[in-house]
Amino acid sequence: MTLEIQNVTKIFPGPRRGFFDRGEGFTALENVSLSVQKGASFGLVGESGSGKTTLTRCILGLETLSAGSILFDGADIHKLTPLQMRRLRSRLQIVFQDPYASLDPRMTIHDIVAEPLVIHGDLVRLDARQRSERVLELLLQVGLTSAHLFRYPHEFSGGQRQRIGIARALAVRPEFLILDEPTSALDVSVQADVLNLLHRLQKELGLTYLFISHDLGVIRYICDDVAVIYRGRLIEQGPVANIFDNPQSDYTRMLLDAMPDPDPDRSPFRKAAAR
Ligand SMILES: Nc1ncnc2c1ncn2[C@@H]1O[C@H](COP(=O)(O)OP(=O)(O)O)[C@@H](O)[C@H]1O
Ligand SMILES: [Mg+2]
């Protein structure tokens, strides 16, 4: 599955001042174009507030576009019928930043991971027993065990919760994952383990990633290509090695300078890669 984002602009309306009067709109994305090829791991990096989550929401069809278009395998996602959109959503899953907020505290891990299998029950035809088998398979795949099945989210650490979020995203065997800062809420020591898992899953399952982060170190470990976004505009994109060795913009140089540990031998991402 390929994703093409073509000249996307998103302007949020300004605050209402009167019946016909609105304040000036806020341009969260301006003329953004990028494409993610099947099997690729594409990074989107930029600091907080630069428009990364807005782009995610546009890709998921949760926001209308002010201009431009978003195509999956050539089909414009804002022109799909509800049924086509549901099909697409089973092929395209998202892992959120905050594993606390994205898991329902009243549901067991089993039910959380099984939920997409129920929602997409018309596409993934499994009876209750097959669903439970699939849930266990998924937990093992992300490094959890059968002992975790009937526990609740609050009983888990942040890293384990993010593993649960990943298992849920993988349940319906998607081709494409959007990972919106999947490790940003985790301790650095745990980040490396979760990144390592995501890296392995991508290779094993042949997934395509759009990997969003404010941290170029994370992008370097996971991604082949990267686009740098600043205040809603892409300021450069290309192979990760080029961006690291020969950044073209001051902003990218600033992001590189802000990397938590510039010594690669001491970086947790380096350790994860060597494992
Ligand atoms: N629904 C909205 N209405 C108005 N402004 C918004 C809305 N959603 C996001 N924004 C603004 O768009 C900008 C980009 O936000 P976001 O996409 O969440 O950035 P990031 O994910 O890179 O941190 C921010 O300034 C944010 O305040
Ligand atoms: Mg965000």
Side-chain angles (χ1 to χ4, degrees):
M1 187 151 86
T2 62
L3 166 67
E4 278 167 86
I5 295 174
Q6 297 177 337
N7 308 102
V8 165
T9 294
K10 174 66 189 177
I11 303 170
F12 288 111
R16 228 175 238 296
R17 290 199 195 118
F19 199 76
F20 293 108
D21 188 19
R22 272 190 180 280
E24 209 176 297
F26 177 79
T27 304
L29 296 172
E30 191 172 343
N31 201 24
V32 168
S33 298
L34 58 87
S35 70
V36 184
Q37 301 304 315
K38 185 174 161 49
S41 186
F42 192 100
L44 178 66
V45 68
E47 66 196 319
S48 177
S50 54
K52 304 182 301 296
T53 296
T54 301
L55 186 63
T56 302
R57 292 178 52 80
C58 290
I59 295 169
L60 295 173
L62 300 173
E63 301 283 357
T64 56
L65 306 182
S66 307
S69 50
I70 296 178
L71 311 179
F72 266 108
D73 288 341
D76 186 332
I77 63 146
H78 288 91
K79 292 184 183 151
L80 298 180
T81 65
L83 180 64
Q84 288 170 325
M85 192 64 194
R86 266 172 52 71
R87 292 251 159 82
L88 173 65
R89 290 292 285 107
S90 73
R91 298 168 64 197
L92 164 70
Q93 294 285 313
I94 176 158
V95 175
F96 296 98
Q97 169 172 5
D98 188 347
Y100 291 75
S102 62
L103 303 180
D104 187 333
R106 295 158 304 180
M107 286 169 69
T108 63
I109 301 320
H110 174 279
D111 290 352
I112 287 171
V113 176
E115 191 175 48
L117 299 169
V118 176
I119 291 173
H120 292 287
D122 54 334
L123 299 171
V124 191
R125 292 179 188 278
L126 300 178
D127 62 29
R129 186 171 147 206
Q130 291 168 322
R131 264 204 305 273
S132 292
E133 284 169 3
R134 174 75 180 134
V135 169
L136 179 57
E137 179 182 48
L138 286 156
L139 289 191
L140 297 174
Q141 211 163 23
V142 300
L144 298 170
T145 72
S146 58
H148 297 122
L149 271 172
F150 299 104
R151 305 241 191 106
Y152 290 86
H154 74 265
E155 299 178 65
F156 292 87
S157 68
Q160 286 175 320
R161 256 185 285 226
Q162 197 52 295
R163 288 171 194 268
I164 296 162
I166 294 164
R168 178 178 58 184
L170 294 175
V172 293
R173 304 182 195 279
E175 299 156 51
F176 198 114
L177 286 192
I178 299 178
L179 302 121
D180 189 353
E181 308 234 25
T183 62
S184 301
L186 306 177
D187 291 342
V188 173
S189 59
V190 179
Q191 279 188 32
D193 289 337
V194 174
L195 285 174
N196 206 25
L197 172 68
L198 289 170
H199 191 67
R200 178 169 64 73
L201 288 171
Q202 197 210 1
K203 300 284 171 256
E204 279 178 15
L205 303 175
L207 295 164
T208 307
Y209 279 180
L210 175 59
F211 195 104
I212 296 171
S213 181
H214 64 267
D215 184 338
L216 264 172
V218 171
I219 297 281
R220 172 166 65 173
Y221 174 50
I222 292 280
C223 299
D224 315 313
D225 292 285
V226 59
V228 180
I229 187 169
Y230 177 64
R231 294 194 181 170
R233 295 176 185 213
L234 294 193
I235 53 171
E236 62 183 301
Q237 58 179 304
V240 165
N242 289 7
I243 302 285
F244 271 83
D245 296 343
N246 191 16
Q248 296 300 306
S249 73
D250 291 342
Y251 181 65
T252 307
R253 271 190 284 276
M254 195 268 295
L255 286 177
L256 284 168
D257 289 344
M259 275 175 56
D261 190 343
D263 178 351
D265 291 331
R266 290 177 52 220
S267 163
F269 309 116
R270 180 57 175 248
K271 271 188 240 138
R275 231 172 260 159

